[in-house]
Amino acid sequence: MRLLLPWLILFLGACAWQNPQPPASIANWQKHTEHLQQLDLWLLEGKLGYRDSRDGGSAWVNWRQSGAAFDLQLHGPFGSGATRILGDDNHAELQQSGEDTLTAVSPAALTEQLFGWQWPVDQLQFWVRGIPSPHEPTVLRTHNAEGTLAVLQQSNWQLEFTGYEQVGQWVLPSRIKGNSGEFSFTLIVKRWHPGDTAP
């Protein structure tokens, strides 16, 4: 009996770690994601900080999204007043005061001309809502007990969602930190306008 007792303890301990029922956070996450996928019309106002191995800066952000169409305005960076990136799934253009309008097939290609690296605008339209992009594989995802996203690894970026706020029926991120090698950004959302593109 004394020989069997240690094995019995190990067996019961192993069983205790196996929980066939999904944790409540998984169920909450699925419900939370399905709800947020319905939100495709919004405006956010906030501040973006960005950095690479050589330099960094910040800009005020005004981002309007209507379905696949986006209008992203950055105020303050690059010493040139307002910078505007707009487009949809098939087209993007960059407008800066006193400069010719640049076009590309994706906004990420245009941001490389601003930052020197590609800011993942295509994926960010999902990340800013606190959900992964459905167009890219997810490497890692962890979430909080209430179902909100905590950490996401996708498209060679690691993102930490360190703040949320309740805005009407929506629970939306208020602070996101992103890292990809030597490149990083922090987006602090000052004001959400879900369901509208005009404050």
Coordinates of all heavy atoms in Angstrom, one line a residue, residues 51-85:
R51 N 9.0 54.4 -32.2 CA 10.4 54.4 -32.0 C 11.1 53.2 -32.8 O 10.5 52.2 -32.9 CB 10.8 54.2 -30.5 CG 12.2 54.2 -30.1 CD 12.5 54.4 -28.7 NE 12.1 55.8 -28.3 CZ 12.9 56.8 -28.5 NH1 14.1 56.7 -29.1 NH2 12.5 58.0 -28.1
D52 N 12.3 53.5 -33.3 CA 13.1 52.5 -33.8 C 14.5 52.5 -33.2 O 14.6 53.2 -32.2 CB 13.1 52.5 -35.4 CG 13.7 53.8 -35.9 OD1 14.5 54.5 -35.2 OD2 13.4 54.2 -37.0
S53 N 15.4 51.9 -33.8 CA 16.8 51.8 -33.1 C 17.5 53.2 -33.2 O 18.4 53.4 -32.5 CB 17.6 50.8 -33.8 OG 17.8 51.1 -35.2
R54 N 17.0 54.1 -34.1 CA 17.7 55.4 -34.3 C 17.0 56.6 -33.8 O 17.5 57.6 -33.4 CB 18.0 55.6 -35.7 CG 18.9 54.5 -36.4 CD 18.8 54.5 -37.9 NE 17.4 54.3 -38.3 CZ 17.0 54.2 -39.5 NH1 17.8 54.3 -40.5 NH2 15.7 54.0 -39.8
D55 N 15.6 56.5 -33.8 CA 14.9 57.7 -33.6 C 13.5 57.3 -33.1 O 13.1 56.2 -32.9 CB 14.7 58.4 -34.9 CG 14.4 59.9 -34.7 OD1 14.3 60.4 -33.6 OD2 14.1 60.6 -35.7
G56 N 12.7 58.4 -32.7 CA 11.3 58.2 -32.3 C 10.6 59.5 -32.4 O 11.1 60.5 -32.7
G57 N 9.3 59.4 -32.0 CA 8.5 60.6 -32.1 C 7.1 60.3 -31.6 O 6.8 59.2 -31.1
S58 N 6.2 61.3 -31.8 CA 4.8 61.1 -31.4 C 3.9 61.9 -32.3 O 4.4 62.9 -33.0 CB 4.6 61.5 -29.9 OG 4.9 62.9 -29.8
A59 N 2.7 61.6 -32.4 CA 1.7 62.3 -33.2 C 0.3 62.1 -32.6 O 0.0 61.1 -32.0 CB 1.7 61.7 -34.6
W60 N -0.5 63.1 -32.8 CA -1.9 63.0 -32.5 C -2.6 62.2 -33.6 O -2.3 62.5 -34.8 CB -2.6 64.3 -32.3 CG -2.1 65.0 -31.0 CD1 -1.2 66.0 -31.0 CD2 -2.4 64.7 -29.7 NE1 -0.9 66.4 -29.7 CE2 -1.7 65.6 -28.8 CE3 -3.3 63.8 -29.1 CZ2 -1.8 65.6 -27.5 CZ3 -3.4 63.8 -27.7 CH2 -2.7 64.7 -26.9
V61 N -3.5 61.3 -33.3 CA -4.1 60.5 -34.2 C -5.6 60.7 -34.3 O -6.3 60.8 -33.2 CB -3.9 59.0 -33.9 CG1 -4.6 58.0 -34.9 CG2 -2.4 58.7 -33.8
N62 N -6.2 60.8 -35.5 CA -7.6 60.8 -35.7 C -7.9 59.8 -36.8 O -7.5 59.9 -37.9 CB -8.0 62.2 -36.2 CG -9.5 62.4 -36.3 OD1 -10.2 61.8 -37.1 ND2 -10.0 63.3 -35.5
W63 N -8.6 58.7 -36.4 CA -8.8 57.6 -37.3 C -10.3 57.3 -37.5 O -11.0 57.0 -36.6 CB -8.1 56.3 -36.7 CG -8.1 55.1 -37.5 CD1 -8.9 54.8 -38.6 CD2 -7.1 54.0 -37.5 NE1 -8.5 53.6 -39.1 CE2 -7.4 53.1 -38.4 CE3 -6.0 53.8 -36.6 CZ2 -6.7 51.9 -38.6 CZ3 -5.3 52.6 -36.8 CH2 -5.7 51.7 -37.8
R64 N -10.7 57.4 -38.8 CA -12.1 57.1 -39.1 C -12.1 55.8 -39.9 O -11.3 55.6 -40.9 CB -12.7 58.2 -40.0 CG -13.0 59.5 -39.2 CD -13.4 60.6 -40.1 NE -14.0 61.7 -39.4 CZ -13.3 62.7 -38.8 NH1 -12.0 62.7 -38.9 NH2 -13.9 63.7 -38.1
Q65 N -13.0 54.9 -39.5 CA -13.1 53.6 -40.2 C -14.6 53.4 -40.6 O -15.5 53.5 -39.7 CB -12.6 52.5 -39.4 CG -12.5 51.1 -40.1 CD -11.2 51.0 -40.9 OE1 -10.2 51.6 -40.6 NE2 -11.3 50.2 -41.9
S66 N -14.8 53.1 -41.9 CA -16.2 52.7 -42.3 C -16.1 51.5 -43.2 O -15.7 51.6 -44.4 CB -16.8 53.9 -43.1 OG -18.1 53.6 -43.5
G67 N -16.4 50.3 -42.6 CA -16.1 49.1 -43.4 C -14.7 48.9 -43.7 O -13.8 49.0 -42.8
A68 N -14.3 48.7 -44.9 CA -12.9 48.6 -45.3 C -12.3 49.9 -45.6 O -11.0 50.0 -45.7 CB -12.8 47.7 -46.6
A69 N -13.0 51.0 -45.7 CA -12.5 52.3 -45.9 C -11.9 53.0 -44.7 O -12.6 53.0 -43.6 CB -13.5 53.2 -46.6
F70 N -10.7 53.6 -44.8 CA -10.1 54.2 -43.6 C -9.6 55.6 -44.0 O -9.3 55.9 -45.1 CB -9.0 53.4 -43.0 CG -7.9 53.2 -44.0 CD1 -6.8 54.1 -44.0 CD2 -7.9 52.1 -44.8 CE1 -5.8 53.9 -44.9 CE2 -6.8 51.9 -45.7 CZ -5.8 52.8 -45.8
D71 N -9.5 56.4 -43.0 CA -9.0 57.8 -43.1 C -8.2 58.1 -41.8 O -8.8 58.3 -40.8 CB -10.1 58.8 -43.3 CG -9.6 60.2 -43.6 OD1 -8.4 60.5 -43.4 OD2 -10.4 61.1 -44.1
L72 N -6.9 58.0 -41.9 CA -6.0 58.1 -40.8 C -5.2 59.4 -40.9 O -4.5 59.6 -41.8 CB -5.1 56.9 -40.7 CG -4.0 56.9 -39.7 CD1 -4.5 56.9 -38.3 CD2 -3.1 55.6 -39.9
Q73 N -5.5 60.3 -39.9 CA -4.8 61.6 -39.9 C -3.8 61.7 -38.7 O -4.2 61.3 -37.6 CB -5.8 62.7 -39.8 CG -6.7 62.8 -41.1 CD -7.6 64.0 -41.0 OE1 -7.2 65.1 -40.8 NE2 -8.9 63.7 -41.3
L74 N -2.6 62.1 -39.0 CA -1.5 62.2 -38.0 C -1.1 63.7 -37.9 O -0.8 64.2 -38.9 CB -0.3 61.3 -38.3 CG -0.6 59.8 -38.5 CD1 0.6 59.1 -39.1 CD2 -1.0 59.2 -37.2
H75 N -1.2 64.2 -36.7 CA -0.9 65.7 -36.6 C 0.4 65.8 -35.7 O 0.4 65.3 -34.6 CB -2.0 66.4 -35.9 CG -3.3 66.4 -36.7 ND1 -3.6 67.3 -37.7 CD2 -4.3 65.5 -36.8 CE1 -4.8 67.0 -38.2 NE2 -5.2 65.9 -37.7
G76 N 1.3 66.5 -36.2 CA 2.5 66.8 -35.3 C 3.8 66.2 -35.7 O 4.8 66.8 -35.5
P77 N 3.8 65.0 -36.3 CA 5.1 64.3 -36.6 C 5.8 64.9 -37.8 O 5.1 65.6 -38.6 CB 4.7 62.9 -36.8 CG 3.4 63.0 -37.4 CD 2.7 64.1 -36.8
F78 N 7.0 64.6 -38.0 CA 7.8 64.8 -39.2 C 7.9 66.3 -39.5 O 8.4 66.7 -40.6 CB 7.1 64.2 -40.4 CG 6.4 62.9 -40.0 CD1 5.1 62.7 -40.2 CD2 7.1 61.8 -39.5 CE1 4.4 61.6 -39.8 CE2 6.5 60.7 -39.1 CZ 5.2 60.5 -39.3
G79 N 7.6 67.2 -38.6 CA 7.7 68.6 -38.7 C 6.9 69.2 -39.9 O 7.3 70.2 -40.5
S80 N 5.8 68.6 -40.3 CA 5.1 69.0 -41.5 C 3.6 69.1 -41.2 O 2.9 69.0 -42.2 CB 5.4 68.1 -42.6 OG 5.0 66.8 -42.3
G81 N 3.2 69.4 -40.0 CA 1.8 69.5 -39.8 C 1.0 68.2 -40.0 O 1.5 67.2 -39.4
A82 N -0.1 68.3 -40.7 CA -0.9 67.1 -40.8 C -0.5 66.1 -41.9 O 0.0 66.6 -43.0 CB -2.4 67.5 -41.1
T83 N -0.5 64.9 -41.6 CA -0.3 63.8 -42.6 C -1.5 62.9 -42.6 O -2.1 62.6 -41.6 CB 0.9 63.0 -42.1 OG1 2.1 63.8 -42.1 CG2 1.2 61.8 -43.1
R84 N -1.9 62.6 -43.8 CA -3.2 61.8 -44.0 C -2.9 60.6 -44.8 O -2.3 60.6 -45.9 CB -4.2 62.7 -44.7 CG -5.6 62.1 -44.7 CD -6.5 63.1 -45.4 NE -7.9 62.6 -45.4 CZ -8.9 63.2 -46.1 NH1 -8.6 64.3 -46.8 NH2 -10.1 62.8 -46.1
I85 N -3.4 59.4 -44.3 CA -3.3 58.1 -45.1 C -4.7 57.6 -45.2 O -5.4 57.5 -44.2 CB -2.5 57.1 -44.3 CG1 -1.0 57.6 -44.1 CG2 -2.4 55.8 -45.1 CD1 -0.2 56.8 -43.2

